[in-house]
Amino acid sequence: MSEKTIFKRIIDHEIPADIVYEDDRVIAFRDNNPQAPTHVLVIPKKEIASLDALTDEDQALLGHLWLAIRRIAGDLGLTGGYRVTVNCGPDAGQSVDHLHFHLLAGRKMSWPPG
Ligand code: AMP
């Protein structure tokens, strides 16, 4: 069996994380190397390696993830706006093989992203 990712260990509550939201399908926790005053990772509990690994079966889960992101943004009071980013694959800098949405806020964001 392949080794658990660090995010699977957080889902299983084996290692500590600063969890800001959790339900039966989603967990969200603060990034431990934040790139903005608010930097939360929103992830499905289902083990999906990346955006590329999504299938038609995940359609409802994806809708649920986006609605969770909106809810978390509301709960955290991100009234000034926020950015949601998914890094997919090596060129985008994906470093953990478990689908995750970066929710970033609290500073002006530049465009194009680096
Ligand atoms: P990415 O580079 O898009 O794959 O994003 C992975 C993110 O996970 C990075 O921003 C890391 O700082 C973050 N990260 C890695 N390990 C942990 C952890 N144990 N707790 C919180 N965030 C983590």
Side-chain angles (χ1 to χ4, degrees):
M1 213 174 90
S2 61
E3 214 171 283
K4 280 186 183 185
T5 66
I6 193 91
F7 290 174
K8 177 62 176 158
R9 296 185 68 203
I10 289 172
I11 291 164
D12 291 342
H13 296 278
E14 287 176 7
I15 57 169
D18 187 353
I19 295 167
V20 299
Y21 176 81
E22 182 169 10
D23 65 30
D24 59 327
R25 284 177 282 173
V26 169
I27 188 166
F29 49 92
R30 291 189 192 275
D31 197 295
N32 66 1
N33 182 24
Q35 302 303 312
T38 296
H39 187 170
V40 168
L41 299 171
V42 185
I43 74 173
K45 290 187 172 177
K46 180 179 175 186
E47 287 187 274
I48 300 170
S50 75
L51 202 72
D52 251 356
L54 285 165
T55 70
D56 289 351
E57 264 180 34
D58 299 314
Q59 203 168 351
L61 174 61
L62 276 174
H64 185 76
L65 273 159
W66 280 108
L67 291 171
I69 289 167
R70 190 191 67 175
R71 177 179 173 162
I72 293 161
D75 288 350
L76 296 179
L78 307 182
T79 51
Y82 53 88
R83 181 173 289 174
V84 180
T85 302
V86 179
N87 295 321
C88 180
D91 279 358
Q94 182 178 0
S95 63
V96 179
D97 290 337
H98 185 117
L99 177 63
H100 48 284
F101 294 73
H102 295 261
L103 171 58
L104 299 146
R107 65 168 169 80
K108 281 272 184 211
M109 308 277 166
S110 60
W111 193 265

